Each structure stands twice: as C-alpha cells, then as structure tokens.
Amino acid sequence: MSHAAHSAPEEQPLLSMGFLFRTMTVIAVLAILTVAISVGGRWFGRHISLAGNTDSTAEIILTIGRDTVKFPENAIRFPSQRHEGAAERVDLYLAWPDMQGYNKANHLRFDDIAQSSGLIFLQITQSTMSRDMSGRLEPIYSHLLDGMPEPYRDGLTLHRLRADAGYGDEVLLTAPVKGGPDYVVRCILPSAPDKAASGDCQRDIKVGRDLSVLYRFSSSHLNDWEHIDAAIRTFVEARLVNHSQPSF
C-alpha cells in the first residue's frame, strides 16, 4: 500500500474562516437594521400620531365662490387644502367646546379615535341650494315624514323619515328657535348612548354671501345643539374677509 493510503485524513477546522466571515456580516447587518428600526420606528410613530395634523396657527386665505375666508392651518383637516388661493371647498375639524384646531394640549382628541366624539367636522363650499337645512323643512322634509312626531329631549322633537325617502336610518330632529326658523338636524341615533359615533348628526347653514357650512358632530352632544349651532356660525363669520351679510 502506498504511503498516501496509510496517511491520516487531514483534519478540517470546525468553523471555517468563510463561515465566520458570513456570520459576522449577518450580525453586523442585523445590528444596523435594529438601529434603523429603532430610529425609524420613533419617526414613523410620530408621523402616525400626527396623521396629517399640524399645530401651526398660520392663517390660510381661501376664496370659495363669492366669499373669501381665512382659517388657521391647524383647523384645516387635510394637508392638501393648506394653501392659499381659490378652492372648491375646505374641510375643518375643531375641538368642542373651545372651537380650537389641533394643538399639543388637545392632541388626543385628534389622534385617538376613541376620543374623536369631542370634535366637530365642517365642510365649507359654495351654496348649490337656495335654502339651508332649516329652510328645507317645510318645502322638502315635511313631505317625507312618516308617522307622528315624538318628544325627544333637550327641547328637540323627533320625526321619522319614510323608508323610501333615501335617508336610511336617519331621523329628523327639530326645535323652535326664538326669532328665527326652526332648528333642523339629521341624525343616526345610536342604540345606546355609549355607541354614539363622532359624526352621526349633520346640519348645514348658510354664512356670508354664498357659503354652505355642513357640519357633523356626535349625537352625544345633542344637549348642546343650540350652542354648537351658534358657535359654528360665529366661528365662520368671524373669519370672513369680505365681512358680508348673508344673502337670502
């Protein structure tokens, strides 16, 4: 037998240099990813919590139809609408009852969906109808009612709408207003008070020369219906640049 046949097989190291190199590379990459996730996670978490909100109170001047208005940036709901010039509409959100936009003190009402019932949502456009919701009570809504009116609460009367009227589960709530037309609001009333949604009531009013202000609020605030209506009108009228009187 040859000398090579009797020689012991050459021993190989348990861990080759190539394997060690690959392992160290993987560990380094994982370390870098961990740092990146930590830093990025903090940035992403802040980005999610802001969710497009801003605490800037710089005023944005907008022309909507025949009216010019100015609103603070932190009250304008969508970032895409925070620029000056002509606009078809602007969407606002305000904390109730202080009627303030997003800021550090009230951020949870904007960031936490569980607290969003503390917000009022507004959509301001040029009027396409000659009458607001109160003005539509007699010529339109009165012909869509089903059954007898029922006393509700806080001075409100509940009217049910016909199933074929196209309003789904909504009901109409009305109340007399001294020296003015009846208050009218449409709501989807919850089965229990704790199931009220953030915008299950809606009403529209006319402001300025030709603005329609549609606003939504939680039915949990129906006890404040008169104060909310007055606060919405005051908020928008105070920010009219043209300072015009309503047109009828």
Side-chain angles (χ1 to χ4, degrees), residues 99 108 239:
M99 299 296 285
L108 284 178
R239 287 158 181 82

Side-chain angles (χ1 to χ4, degrees), residues 4-20:
H6 289 284
S7 62
E10 184 178 349
E11 293 184 1
Q12 298 292 326
L14 292 175
L15 298 174
S16 69
M17 290 302 295
F19 177 80
L20 288 173

